[in-house]
Amino acid sequence: MKGIYILSPLNHQKFTLDQEIEKPTPDKYEIVVHIKSCALVCPNCKALNELYKKNPREKYIVGHDISGVVVDLGEGVSNVHVGDSVVGIIPIDSYYPGCGEFCCLSEYDVVKKPERLSFEDAAAGIGDCVKAYTALFYQARVCSGDTVLVIDGATPFGHVVIQLATQWGAKVITTASSQDEQMFLEKVNPPVAQIIDIEKRSNILVSSVMEETGGVGVDVVIDNGVRMFTQDEDKREVEEKRKYPVIHKHDVISCLGMSGKWITIQSDLQLDPPDSQQLFLRGASVNFLFENMWTLSYAQHGRYQHILHDAINKLERGIVKTKIAKTVNLEEAVNILPELENTRIGKTVVNM
C-alpha cells in the first residue's frame, strides 16, 4: 500500500510517496481504517524533533485528520464495527500516515461519521475543531460576554475558532493579512465585531483593539504564532522569517485585559522579565496550544471523545462550516506539501 512521509532531517522538508508499506494489523483496542479522505496540514517539525530527540526516525507520517471505513478490528473493540464510516485523528507518533490507503489507530481516536456529512468535509473539519475546542473551552474557558481576539481569522483554524466563539456568545475581533482574507472574513456569519487589516501596518493592532473595547482590552487572545524579536539581526539568528505579517509578542500582551488569557501555538515562546511583569500586572496567563496532547496521552479518553462527538455534530448540522480550497490525489499531494503554508484560506484535502 501507499503513503506519504516526510524524511529526516525535518528541516529539509523533503516529502516522499512510499509505495511499499505493509498493511497494518490491529492490536488490542485498535482498528484499521481504509482511508477515504485526509486533510493536509504542515507537519509540526518542532514537536517531532522534540518527541524524537533521543531516538529519531528515518521518516515521519504526513496527514492526521482522516475519514474512512473500518475494515479490521483488534481484540476488545466495542465502539465501532467493520463497515462503519468513521472520522478521527491519527496520533503524531503513529507509523501509518493519514495520507495513505490504510491506517491503524485506537478505537478512542475516532467517532462514527453521520451519513449526511461527506468524507471530505469530515476530514477537513475535525482537526481544526479539536484544536479550536481545546483552545476556547479547556484553556480559555470562553463564555458568553467575553471578547476574543483571533489572529489570522481567515485561516482554517481561525475560521473555526470564530464560529465556535460566536456560537458561545463571545464578541470576536480578528485580523486579516491580505485583501482576499478581508473579503473572506466579511462574509463570515454571524459577523465579527471588527476586522483589523495588518497587511501593511501591524502596529495598529493594539490601538484598534483598545478602541473597540473602550480601553479595557480583550479576555482572550488566540494567536497564529508571534514574533519575538524586533532587530533584523536577531530575526536572522533564529530564522524568524514569515511571508505574512506576524504579530509581536508585546502587542499580544498589550491587547490583554484584566485576567486575560493568551493561547499561543508558539512552542519556543520566550518571555523576558518586562513581558512577565506586564502579564503579572494584568493577572494574565499564557497557555500553550498543542492539540496532539489528546492522542499522546490517553488520560482523558472521555473528554477527548466528547470533543470529537461535539465537533462532528456541529459539522453535520452546519453550525461549523469548513472551506475546502482544493482536492488532490496522493501523487499531487507530494508536490503540494512544500508550498502548503502559502494556502491561507481553505483546506487542501487528499482523496484516495
Side-chain angles (χ1 to χ4, degrees):
M1 66 179 220
K2 298 185 289 186
I4 300 176
Y5 291 86
I6 180 171
L7 299 178
S8 188
L10 293 168
N11 61 320
H12 289 176
Q13 291 283 293
K14 186 175 181 181
F15 298 91
T16 182
L17 179 60
D18 193 331
Q19 305 272 2
E20 300 178 355
I21 308 172
E22 292 186 9
K23 186 176 178 180
T25 301
D27 289 332
K28 192 173 184 179
Y29 304 123
E30 288 185 339
I31 62 174
V32 176
V33 177
H34 181 204
I35 300 170
K36 297 293 185 180
S37 296
C38 176
L40 278 186
V41 294
C42 296
N44 191 335
C45 295
K46 287 183 179 178
L48 289 170
N49 278 326
E50 186 63 29
L51 284 171
Y52 295 101
K53 185 161 52 178
K54 295 183 178 179
N55 299 297
R57 294 181 178 179
E58 292 183 0
K59 57 185 182 181
Y60 303 87
I61 67 170
V62 172
H64 301 273
D65 312 338
I66 60 99
S67 59
V69 179
V70 179
V71 294
D72 198 3
L73 304 175
E75 181 187 349
V77 173
S78 58
N79 291 335
V80 295
H81 303 89
V82 172
D84 285 346
S85 296
V86 296
V87 55
I89 300 176
I90 299 173
I92 195 172
D93 58 350
S94 175
Y95 286 92
Y96 298 99
C99 289
E101 296 175 294
F102 295 90
C103 69
C104 184
L105 65 172
S106 167
E107 65 170 324
Y108 301 109
D109 291 337
V110 301
V111 290
K112 293 181 181 179
K113 182 189 74 67
E115 288 186 12
R116 292 193 302 174
L117 185 65
S118 69
F119 286 107
E120 290 92 345
D121 287 335
I126 190 63
D128 290 320
C129 281
V130 168
K131 188 175 181 179
Y133 205 112
T134 303
L136 289 169
F137 186 77
Y138 283 100
Q139 295 185 316
R141 304 287 182 181
V142 167
C143 57
S144 180
D146 284 348
T147 302
V148 181
L149 172 60
V150 181
I151 307 299
D152 292 337
T155 60
F157 168 61
H159 186 211
V160 173
V161 170
I162 289 172
Q163 293 175 83
L164 286 177
T166 52
Q167 193 218 352
W168 291 339
K171 174 183 177 180
V172 176
I173 303 170
T174 189
T175 67
S177 299
S178 68
Q179 190 63 36
D180 288 340
E181 291 184 20
Q182 179 92 17
M183 293 172 61
F184 176 78
L185 290 168
E186 287 172 353
K187 297 176 183 178
V188 171
N189 189 30
V192 298
Q194 184 182 10
I195 303 169
I196 304 171
D197 185 2
I198 60 171
E199 181 179 9
K200 296 176 182 177
R201 291 177 56 210
S202 60
N203 60 352
I204 67 169
L205 178 68
V206 178
S207 59
S208 300
V209 167
M210 288 303 165
E211 183 179 354
E212 181 67 35
T213 61
V216 174
V218 298
D219 299 290
V220 178
V221 176
I222 299 177
D223 71 30
N224 189 34
V226 294
R227 282 191 298 117
M228 292 181 285
F229 303 94
T230 53
Q231 300 295 327
D232 291 338
E233 186 177 330
D234 292 334
K235 290 179 186 178
R236 286 193 296 271
E237 181 101 7
V238 296
E239 298 182 345
E240 198 177 67
K241 297 176 291 185
R242 310 281 179 100
K243 180 179 179 180
Y244 293 91
V246 179
I247 301 302
H248 198 278
K249 61 179 179 178
H250 295 155
D251 292 335
V252 172
I253 295 172
S254 299
C255 288
L256 286 171
M258 186 181 68
S259 299
K261 300 179 181 70
W262 175 11
I263 315 299
T264 182
I265 66 167
Q266 191 74 36
S267 61
D268 57 351
L269 177 67
Q270 298 178 30
L271 293 177
D272 302 320
D275 302 327
S276 300
Q277 185 69 15
Q278 286 300 312
L279 289 167
F280 173 79
L281 292 173
R282 288 169 168 79
S285 60
V286 180
N287 288 267
F288 290 90
L289 177 58
F290 182 56
E291 69 281 7
N292 299 107
M293 67 179 185
W294 295 109
T295 52
L296 284 175
S297 170
Y298 289 109
Q300 303 287 345
H301 268 154
R303 289 183 178 182
Y304 184 48
Q305 275 284 302
H306 170 73
I307 295 174
L308 292 174
H309 279 288
D310 195 56
I312 288 301
N313 178 265
K314 285 180 169 59
L315 287 167
E316 181 197 16
R317 293 162 57 196
I319 296 173
V320 173
K321 298 177 181 178
T322 59
K323 177 179 174 60
I324 297 177
K326 65 176 72 173
T327 56
V328 297
N329 58 35
L330 277 175
E331 287 73 18
E332 293 169 329
V334 176
N335 299 321
I336 287 174
L337 276 162
E339 303 297 324
L340 188 62
E341 62 182 13
N342 295 327
T343 303
R344 297 266 289 185
I345 302 174
K347 221 48 179 275
T348 299
V349 176
V350 183
N351 286 331
M352 311 307 162

